[in-house]
């Protein structure tokens, strides 16, 4: 699950709100928020998320939109499920988490 949007604070808040919802459902979850520094390679983050996903862990990555195309291509090539939600225009992190949760479990 890639959480994009204009500000890092909104992305992180939504990512952690989503993680709380998924943990309450007894899902295995990892938020990769410390990996999105300006000098961090999007391919490295994508690889980490892909490895987690292959092992049944929902990887949630709050990230800037600039790194997403590389990761999207990597996940498509490997067949790894990829879901992207933008937090822009949402009322707050909880509304973003609800939208992301719906996208993840198949409800829009």
């Amino acid at each position: 699950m890639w959480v994009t949007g204009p500000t890092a604070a909104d992305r992180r808040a939504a990512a952690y709100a989503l993680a709380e919802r998924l943990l309450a459902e007894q899902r295995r979850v990892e938020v990769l928020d410390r990996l999105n520094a300006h000098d961090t390679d999007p391919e490295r983050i994508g690889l980490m998320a892909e490895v987690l996903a292959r092992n049944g862990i929902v990887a949630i990555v709050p990230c800037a939109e600039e790194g997403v195309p590389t990761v999207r291509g990597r996940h498509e090539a490997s067949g790894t499920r990829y879901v992207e939600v933008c937090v822009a225009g949402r009322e707050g992190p909880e509304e973003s988490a609800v939208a992301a949760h719906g996208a993840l479990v198949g409800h829009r």
Side-chain angles (χ1 to χ4, degrees):
M1 169 66 68
W2 293 78
V3 181
T4 63
T7 68
D10 290 343
R11 295 187 302 255
R12 289 184 77 207
Y16 280 101
L18 174 60
E20 287 179 21
R21 287 176 152 273
L22 294 172
L23 287 169
E25 296 173 354
Q26 306 299 310
R27 293 184 188 236
R28 295 169 55 201
V29 178
E30 185 67 39
V31 178
L32 303 176
D33 71 331
R34 303 230 181 252
L35 303 173
N36 198 26
H38 293 291
D39 61 344
T40 301
D41 183 4
E43 289 185 40
R44 187 179 122 222
I45 298 169
L47 175 60
M48 292 179 72
E50 185 178 338
V51 169
L52 290 169
R54 281 195 315 242
N55 287 285
I57 300 168
V58 177
I60 303 171
V61 184
C63 64
E65 293 178 19
E66 296 80 44
V68 172
T70 300
V71 175
R72 187 182 301 129
R74 176 184 183 85
H75 286 0
E76 288 173 1
S78 70
T80 303
R81 185 167 180 218
Y82 172 87
V83 178
E84 181 181 334
V85 172
C86 181
V87 298
R90 309 259 185 218
E91 290 292 321
E94 191 56 38
E95 183 180 326
S96 295
V98 169
H101 184 265
L104 188 64
V105 298
H107 305 104
R108 295 257 172 191

